[in-house]
Amino acid sequence: MSKKPNVLWIMADQLRFDYLSCYGHPHLQTPHIDALAARGIRFTNTYVQSPVCGPSRMSAYTGRYVRSHGSTWNGIPLRVGEPTLGDHLRKAGARAVLVGKTHMIADREGMAWLGIDPTSEIGVRVAECGFEAFERDDGLHPDSARQNWSAYDDYLVNLGYTSDNPWEDFANSGLDPDGELMSAWLLKNSRLPANVPEEHSETAYMTNRAIDFMTDAMQSDQPWLCHLSYIKPHWPYIVPAPYHDMYGPEHIVDPIRSESEKETDHPLLRAYQQARVCRSFSRDHVREHVIPAYMGLIKQLDDNLGRLFAWMDESGLSENTIVAFTSDHGDYMGDHWMGDKDFYHEVAAKVPLIIADPRPEADSTRGTTSDALVEMIDLAPTFMNALGCPPKPQVVEGRDLTPLLHGTDGFSRRYAISEHDYSSFEMARALDVAQEDARTVMIFDGRWKYVRCEGFRPVLFDLETDPNEFTDLGASEKAEHREVRARLEEALLAWSMQHHTRITVTPELLARQGKAAETGILIGFWDEAEYEASTGIPFKDLKPLGPPKAG
Amino acid sequence: MSKKPNVLWIMADQLRFDYLSCYGHPHLQTPHIDALAARGIRFTNTYVQSPVCGPSRMSAYTGRYVRSHGSTWNGIPLRVGEPTLGDHLRKAGARAVLVGKTHMIADREGMAWLGIDPTSEIGVRVAECGFEAFERDDGLHPDSARQNWSAYDDYLVNLGYTSDNPWEDFANSGLDPDGELMSAWLLKNSRLPANVPEEHSETAYMTNRAIDFMTDAMQSDQPWLCHLSYIKPHWPYIVPAPYHDMYGPEHIVDPIRSESEKETDHPLLRAYQQARVCRSFSRDHVREHVIPAYMGLIKQLDDNLGRLFAWMDESGLSENTIVAFTSDHGDYMGDHWMGDKDFYHEVAAKVPLIIADPRPEADSTRGTTSDALVEMIDLAPTFMNALGCPPKPQVVEGRDLTPLLHGTDGFSRRYAISEHDYSSFEMARALDVAQEDARTVMIFDGRWKYVRCEGFRPVLFDLETDPNEFTDLGASEKAEHREVRARLEEALLAWSMQHHTRITVTPELLARQGKAAETGILIGFWDEAEYEASTGIPFKDLKPLGPPKAG
């Protein structure tokens, strides 16, 4: 087994930060995730770089902001040539292995243009977001662009679940009393048990596959990062027995919403509230149907993680494996009169993050919480550090969390940023917003959450006096609020103007280039004496230089 | 010969807009360039996207801002996967051919990572900024990273100019009375004739090579763009006889500078003035030595273009070849107490641009001038249009100038933007500015030129009342100036926040994706009736969709 720590990076999909008992849910007990928190750090202020799967994950897997990697919404391919965490780790001799979902769309046009064979080793990695795909499963219909017939479909068929679409007909449907299939795409069917026993569910299957990978990996000294990426509790909201009826109305926490929010004069917020999914989740009977299933999915996930962690303990892997647990975004579930995700309230943009680091340097922080402002892109450099990979500041925009894990100084972040491209949404059509302008961006300083809405006035919440985000101060005339808006707008400009694409040059090379420019780029010297006086080099000894070689 | 027009895109290097007689120089007659203007449009407000070779050219060749392509200074490789004009034209069946300089540095690390063989056809194009290199010559020492021994070096050696470095020893040196080599890297040697006759100079050679290419191309129906990219009048400032003594002190126009500029309290402007090249060109005897050589180089270029245009007339090529003439940036030549380029005064950031379009649609604009605000990146989409290449708005950020060429509506631009990364400069070291913060960006609205200087107060010029840019209003307390600064800062933020990297998705695909999301992404439907009422599709007929396939 490797001497270096391995990294098991677990991601749930669409898991709200507050639907875990260690984050304070009063009725949903998640003892295995809580136990992970007890041996690590629980972060209370972690924000995703986009409140939607695809761009959030492309940021997580590259350590870069959405405006940097350019995959701004689901279905927008990650360009060929965008370096990923997996690429960096491989260069440092580690494996970067995928078990589950990435939401990656391959840039087939770019690959064709650059002559990269999609079936080659490099081509496969470019198409898999830099991962070695031990198991790719995006939890989607077999006819989607992101996923063809999957190994999980094969698994179901081999177990006798015969169908043209076993993922849909068994794992994501229920049965009515007459044995008719009831699709979990329709919310009214959420309370049915899934048409598959728990041990054959996608969550259980993916847990098994992670164990398969780690069992294989134990045969080698090569350190690894395994990204175990669960589909659930993302919709379709349906869970196998017995989880489907573990929770009832008495376990549903009140929605975080206020009548005053409905009175907003903000065109974009109004358009959100009028969007189908938001109208739907604003109905109490929808919440009452869906939330118990959502809670059951999380409970099932926790039980599977308990099984996984027990196996890791037994096999000795826990001793040298850093385990991180997080999510790609939350789920409104009717809060703020909204459904799904796609905006920046806490329940959508904030995610759980727990990191348990077995190294002795982390002993002082076990069982503690950190209120540091963290971005999802901070994980990539943290894992790179753990696996002995040199930092790549010209590419990776996240900040290494290792100082927080080890209780030392060195981590700071003044603002968290998140971006959203709503050009494919009904809000864009309702408001007649052009594709290139259908953008919002959040900047949060730990107290003030400011959302720039292109073409509309901004939105502002004061989390200190209004932790529920009921009062939009984006149009407030109070001097304090005007000042805060101006300050955050300026911070946004400063961030936006930073280098996001200067990725081909290292700081060391830039410094060498500066040095070379002093002596080798011969502009402005009058004569030999002036050259020698300025550079200390006799002119006759000079070998004029072009820019130093890259590399 | 092709029915479609061809494009001959001529670029001079470091040519100020005002050193041509058609742009008003009182002593430097450039009749051949003037004749081109007489049969086309002369643009009077064209700005480069960076006032320095490398990034300006990477913008020109990609049609994208510097913050988009990321090659922010000389020597920073253009990343693999950054689409170029040449790539777009090739897809449309045209050739994109280079004769001369690009300043491109290949992204060898990226190519290795993606398995692209640098010697393959694709690899060579990736390394040549998307061009098919009929002749690559960056006008540099044979030991530079950008250029090894060149075909021009061979040419010189074959003519008997024997040396380890014929480019330097013949084309870019003079001789003292004892026959000793006098390097043109030293400004005191600028008045010497180059150690090569005019007909063997790099300018003449490159003109010949363009004729060679066009002669070949006439054998085929395939339309082409030829980028004829001269090294000169870029330093080393030395020109063959008789051009070396055509101009003297009586032909030197007064410097555009004011004693008040020396009193600036702006730390960055002060640091510029204190930089070696600026101190050097602030000395009158340097100007008096260099400017006659600079003028001679331009005169020589004009004569070579006369030869080229005459050949094109004779061969019939002028009839269906759009000819564009421009430069990659200007040259301070002591104006504003500065030398070389690298800031945004008119003499550095504004360039000449002449486009002569032989098509009848352009008859109404022949011999006219246009004061439209134009960016260098506008050329790429203009050439794409001419060569029948569909627009690529998700990639190409410039705006098609064809409406201006044809005297129709449809072109507009409110702001011109230019960016500069001074991290490799002595100013960054003098001011102790971190590599990532050594950035400036100009936004110009046709009257007000605003320069955001990261970490320092902005610079502001009012070109209407102060066309010489002597008075920096960046700290002015006047309400009008405060308002202008706030407006341009906001415009800069709006520009900066635009999509610059969402390059893998077409507008059509985005629109389809939005449409598909309405019916195929099944979130928020309660039951079958709600689905059918909303989408018009019976639920049983539904084939749930993932995101539509890219392509």
Side-chain angles (χ1 to χ4, degrees):
Chain A
M1 207 182 293
S2 164
K3 287 270 168 54
K4 278 184 191 161
N6 302 304
V7 175
L8 175 64
W9 177 12
I10 304 167
M11 191 178 277
D13 197 312
Q14 196 137 337
L15 173 63
R16 286 169 61 125
F17 76 96
D18 56 352
Y19 270 56
L20 298 169
S21 42
C22 57
Y23 279 89
H25 199 287
H27 307 300
L28 177 55
Q29 296 306 312
T30 49
H32 304 294
I33 294 170
D34 295 4
L36 186 72
R39 56 188 173 100
I41 296 190
R42 188 170 62 81
F43 292 90
T44 62
N45 277 303
T46 304
Y47 292 83
V48 289
Q49 275 49 78
S50 186
V52 64
C53 302
S56 173
R57 287 164 178 272
M58 295 309 105
S59 284
Y61 306 149
T62 59
R64 289 164 56 71
Y65 292 105
V66 174
R67 74 181 295 86
S68 306
H69 62 64
S71 178
T72 61
W73 198 56
N74 297 338
I76 298 187
L78 185 73
R79 70 189 289 184
V80 172
E82 192 63 24
T84 65
L85 172 61
D87 297 314
H88 306 315
L89 293 182
R90 254 189 308 282
K91 278 197 189 159
R95 295 175 71 184
V97 173
L98 170 69
V99 179
K101 167 170 174 170
T102 62
H103 216 112
M104 168 81 180
I105 298 275
D107 177 11
R108 305 241 166 243
E109 186 181 346
M111 290 167 79
W113 158 47
L114 292 171
I116 298 171
D117 177 355
T119 65
S120 67
E121 190 178 328
I122 287 172
V124 168
R125 281 178 192 158
V126 165
E128 295 288 3
C129 208
F131 289 110
E132 172 191 341
F134 186 82
E135 174 98 24
R136 166 84 185 259
D137 183 344
D138 270 6
L140 265 191
H141 341 275
D143 57 352
S144 105
R146 257 195 359 258
Q147 186 168 308
N148 297 314
W149 186 272
S150 70
Y152 178 59
D153 288 301
D154 273 339
Y155 168 82
L156 290 176
V157 168
N158 288 338
L159 288 168
Y161 302 101
T162 310
S163 162
D164 288 343
N165 190 342
W167 181 88
E168 174 123 358
D169 294 344
F170 294 97
N172 289 283
S173 287
L175 297 177
D176 75 1
D178 302 327
E180 282 293 304
L181 277 179
M182 304 298 281
S183 170
W185 290 111
L186 298 176
L187 299 174
K188 75 176 170 69
N189 299 325
S190 305
R191 297 301 309 269
L192 297 171
N195 189 23
V196 75
E198 194 283 324
E199 64 268 30
H200 298 155
S201 70
E202 208 165 8
T203 295
Y205 172 81
M206 221 50 76
T207 306
N208 297 341
R209 293 297 287 151
I211 291 172
D212 291 346
F213 164 71
M214 288 189 274
T215 303
D216 282 3
M218 278 194 287
Q219 310 305 311
S220 155
D221 275 347
Q222 195 180 8
W224 48 261
L225 174 143
C226 174
H227 182 48
L228 170 56
S229 185
Y230 290 101
I231 316 308
K232 299 294 184 186
H234 191 285
W235 41 263
Y237 303 107
I238 193 163
V239 63
Y243 298 97
H244 75 294
D245 67 357
M246 276 188 184
Y247 304 98
E250 69 277 22
H251 302 117
I252 298 178
V253 294
D254 288 340
I256 303 169
R257 68 190 186 198
S258 134
E259 287 297 320
S260 67
E261 291 176 285
K262 285 182 170 171
E263 311 301 319
T264 179
D265 65 349
H266 197 292
L268 184 57
L269 290 180
R270 272 213 313 271
Y272 265 99
Q273 289 176 11
Q274 288 158 12
R276 185 185 69 229
V277 70
C278 295
R279 282 184 284 115
S280 187
F281 277 89
S282 294
R283 292 182 281 181
D284 285 341
H285 74 97
V286 169
R287 295 185 75 247
E288 284 158 17
H289 250 74
V290 171
I291 289 177
Y294 184 69
M295 291 172 70
L297 284 165
I298 296 165
K299 182 70 178 172
Q300 183 201 1
L301 176 64
D302 187 68
D303 283 345
N304 272 275
L305 290 178
R307 178 164 69 88
L308 179 74
F309 295 154
W311 177 84
M312 288 175 71
D313 288 347
E314 282 161 29
S315 62
L317 269 172
S318 298
E319 286 166 32
N320 76 331
T321 301
I322 295 170
V323 179
F325 175 82
T326 188
S327 170
D328 61 347
H329 53 76
D331 191 325
Y332 273 103
M333 284 291 168
D335 292 353
H336 309 288
W337 312 101
M338 289 172 71
D340 210 30
K341 50 257 182 181
D342 297 305
F343 203 66
Y344 306 102
H345 294 92
E346 294 285 273
V347 298
K350 183 192 271 197
V351 290
L353 174 64
I354 296 163
I355 305 180
D357 180 347
R359 291 173 291 184
E361 296 92 322
D363 286 347
S364 69
T365 64
R366 292 190 204 293
T368 65
T369 62
S370 169
D371 298 334
L373 201 51
V374 169
E375 293 183 336
M376 179 60 66
I377 57 175
D378 297 340
L379 292 184
T382 308
F383 300 154
M384 287 166 70
N385 182 333
L387 285 158
C389 177
K392 279 217 155 194
Q394 74 274 26
V395 175
V396 176
E397 299 180 308
R399 300 177 190 196
D400 186 353
L401 299 171
T402 308
L404 295 178
L405 301 183
H406 294 175
T408 59
D409 291 337
F411 178 87
S412 73
R413 174 180 293 299
R414 292 172 62 200
Y415 303 107
I417 307 270
S418 195
E419 300 169 85
H420 193 253
D421 173 354
Y422 67 92
S423 57
S424 294
F425 283 74
E426 56 191 287
M427 292 84 76
R429 288 185 292 280
L431 297 170
D432 199 23
V433 176
Q435 280 180 355
E436 61 272 25
D437 296 329
R439 304 176 258 115
T440 56
V441 54
M442 173 202 88
I443 181 165
F444 178 58
D445 69 359
R447 173 177 176 182
W448 299 96
K449 189 183 283 184
Y450 176 84
V451 182
R452 179 180 166 93
C453 304
E454 199 63 33
F456 304 103
R457 71 157 174 83
V459 171
L460 179 70
F461 297 116
D462 177 0
L463 278 280
E464 186 174 291
T465 62
D466 176 31
N468 283 327
E469 304 171 289
F470 288 156
T471 308
D472 173 10
L473 304 169
S476 160
E477 295 288 344
K478 278 183 72 173
E480 182 192 13
H481 301 150
R482 278 207 305 268
E483 281 159 26
V484 167
R485 292 197 302 262
R487 173 173 64 81
L488 292 174
E489 184 89 353
E490 167 58 25
L492 210 45
L493 174 56
W495 166 78
S496 176
M497 291 301 305
Q498 284 168 6
H499 292 294
H500 295 283
T501 60
R502 191 179 64 174
I503 66 169
T504 58
V505 69
T506 62
E508 295 71 29
L509 182 64
L510 265 187
R512 285 211 305 278
Q513 192 169 33
K515 196 73 197 159
E518 277 178 21
T519 55
I521 297 184
L522 298 178
I523 46 175
F525 291 110
W526 174 253
D527 62 8
E528 293 84 349
E530 202 171 282
Y531 180 80
E532 185 166 349
S534 172
T535 65
I537 302 169
F539 185 75
K540 66 179 173 47
D541 293 348
L542 172 81
K543 287 239 173 274
L545 297 171
K549 289 188 199 300
Chain B
M1 207 182 292
S2 163
K3 288 269 169 50
K4 280 187 192 158
N6 302 305
V7 175
L8 175 64
W9 177 12
I10 304 166
M11 191 178 280
D13 197 312
Q14 195 137 337
L15 173 62
R16 286 169 61 127
F17 76 97
D18 56 353
Y19 270 57
L20 297 169
S21 41
C22 58
Y23 278 89
H25 198 286
H27 307 300
L28 178 56
Q29 297 305 313
T30 49
H32 305 294
I33 294 169
D34 294 3
L36 186 71
R39 57 189 172 100
I41 296 190
R42 188 172 61 82
F43 292 90
T44 63
N45 278 303
T46 303
Y47 292 84
V48 289
Q49 275 47 79
S50 186
V52 63
C53 302
S56 173
R57 287 165 177 271
M58 296 309 105
S59 284
Y61 305 148
T62 59
R64 289 163 57 69
Y65 292 105
V66 175
R67 72 181 298 86
S68 306
H69 62 64
S71 178
T72 60
W73 199 56
N74 296 338
I76 297 187
L78 186 73
R79 69 189 289 184
V80 172
E82 192 63 25
T84 65
L85 173 61
D87 297 315
H88 307 315
L89 293 181
R90 254 189 308 280
K91 278 196 190 161
R95 295 176 71 183
V97 173
L98 170 69
V99 179
K101 167 170 174 169
T102 62
H103 217 112
M104 168 81 178
I105 298 275
D107 176 12
R108 305 241 166 244
E109 187 181 345
M111 291 168 79
W113 159 48
L114 292 170
I116 298 171
D117 176 356
T119 65
S120 68
E121 190 177 330
I122 287 172
V124 168
R125 281 178 191 159
V126 165
E128 295 289 3
C129 208
F131 288 111
E132 171 191 341
F134 186 82
E135 174 97 23
R136 166 86 184 258
D137 182 344
D138 270 7
L140 265 191
H141 342 274
D143 57 351
S144 103
R146 267 205 338 269
Q147 186 169 309
N148 296 314
W149 186 272
S150 70
Y152 178 59
D153 288 301
D154 273 339
Y155 169 82
L156 289 176
V157 168
N158 287 338
L159 287 169
Y161 302 101
T162 311
S163 161
D164 288 341
N165 189 342
W167 181 87
E168 174 124 356
D169 294 346
F170 294 98
N172 288 283
S173 288
L175 296 177
D176 76 1
D178 300 328
E180 281 294 303
L181 279 178
M182 305 297 281
S183 170
W185 291 110
L186 298 176
L187 300 173
K188 75 177 171 67
N189 298 326
S190 305
R191 297 300 311 269
L192 296 172
N195 188 23
V196 75
E198 195 282 326
E199 63 268 29
H200 298 157
S201 70
E202 208 165 9
T203 295
Y205 172 81
M206 221 49 76
T207 306
N208 297 342
R209 294 296 287 150
I211 292 172
D212 291 346
F213 163 71
M214 289 189 274
T215 304
D216 282 4
M218 278 193 287
Q219 309 307 312
S220 156
D221 275 348
Q222 193 179 9
W224 48 260
L225 173 143
C226 174
H227 182 48
L228 169 56
S229 185
Y230 289 101
I231 316 308
K232 298 295 183 183
H234 192 285
W235 40 262
Y237 302 107
I238 194 163
V239 62
Y243 298 97
H244 75 293
D245 68 356
M246 276 189 185
Y247 304 98
E250 69 279 20
H251 302 116
I252 299 177
V253 295
D254 289 339
I256 303 169
R257 68 189 186 198
S258 133
E259 286 298 319
S260 68
E261 291 177 285
K262 285 183 169 171
E263 310 302 318
T264 179
D265 65 348
H266 197 293
L268 184 57
L269 290 180
R270 271 213 314 269
Y272 265 98
Q273 288 176 11
Q274 288 158 14
R276 184 185 70 226
V277 70
C278 295
R279 281 184 285 115
S280 187
F281 277 90
S282 294
R283 292 181 280 181
D284 285 341
H285 74 97
V286 169
R287 294 184 76 246
E288 283 158 17
H289 249 75
V290 172
I291 289 177
Y294 184 70
M295 292 172 70
L297 285 164
I298 297 164
K299 183 69 179 173
Q300 184 202 359
L301 176 64
D302 187 68
D303 283 344
N304 273 275
L305 290 178
R307 179 164 69 90
L308 179 74
F309 296 153
W311 178 85
M312 289 176 71
D313 288 348
E314 282 160 31
S315 62
L317 269 173
S318 297
E319 287 166 31
N320 75 332
T321 301
I322 295 170
V323 179
F325 175 81
T326 188
S327 170
D328 61 346
H329 54 77
D331 190 325
Y332 273 101
M333 283 290 167
D335 291 353
H336 309 290
W337 311 101
M338 288 172 71
D340 210 29
K341 51 255 182 181
D342 297 305
F343 203 67
Y344 306 101
H345 293 92
E346 294 286 273
V347 297
K350 183 192 272 199
V351 290
L353 174 64
I354 296 162
I355 306 180
D357 180 347
R359 292 174 290 185
E361 295 92 323
D363 285 348
S364 69
T365 64
R366 293 192 202 293
T368 65
T369 62
S370 169
D371 298 333
L373 201 50
V374 168
E375 293 182 339
M376 179 59 66
I377 57 175
D378 297 341
L379 292 184
T382 307
F383 299 153
M384 287 166 70
N385 182 332
L387 285 158
C389 176
K392 281 219 155 193
Q394 74 274 26
V395 175
V396 176
E397 300 180 306
R399 301 177 189 196
D400 185 352
L401 299 171
T402 308
L404 296 178
L405 300 182
H406 294 174
T408 60
D409 292 337
F411 178 87
S412 74
R413 173 180 294 297
R414 292 172 62 201
Y415 303 106
I417 306 270
S418 195
E419 299 169 85
H420 192 254
D421 173 355
Y422 67 92
S423 57
S424 295
F425 282 75
E426 57 191 287
M427 291 84 76
R429 288 184 291 281
L431 298 170
D432 200 22
V433 177
Q435 280 180 353
E436 61 272 26
D437 296 329
R439 304 177 257 115
T440 56
V441 54
M442 175 202 87
I443 181 165
F444 178 58
D445 69 0
R447 173 177 175 182
W448 300 95
K449 188 182 283 183
Y450 176 83
V451 181
R452 180 180 165 93
C453 305
E454 199 63 32
F456 303 103
R457 71 158 174 83
V459 170
L460 179 70
F461 297 115
D462 177 1
L463 279 278
E464 188 174 290
T465 62
D466 175 31
N468 284 326
E469 303 171 290
F470 289 157
T471 307
D472 173 10
L473 303 170
S476 161
E477 295 288 344
K478 277 184 73 174
E480 181 191 14
H481 301 149
R482 278 207 305 268
E483 281 159 25
V484 166
R485 292 197 302 261
R487 173 173 65 80
L488 292 174
E489 183 89 353
E490 167 58 24
L492 210 45
L493 174 56
W495 166 78
S496 175
M497 291 301 305
Q498 285 168 5
H499 291 295
H500 295 283
T501 59
R502 193 180 63 174
I503 65 169
T504 58
V505 68
T506 62
E508 295 71 29
L509 183 65
L510 264 187
R512 285 211 306 278
Q513 191 169 34
K515 196 74 196 159
E518 277 178 20
T519 55
I521 297 184
L522 298 176
I523 45 175
F525 291 110
W526 173 252
D527 62 8
E528 293 84 349
E530 202 171 282
Y531 180 80
E532 186 165 349
S534 172
T535 65
I537 303 170
F539 185 75
K540 65 178 173 48
D541 293 347
L542 171 80
K543 287 240 176 274
L545 297 171
K549 287 187 201 299

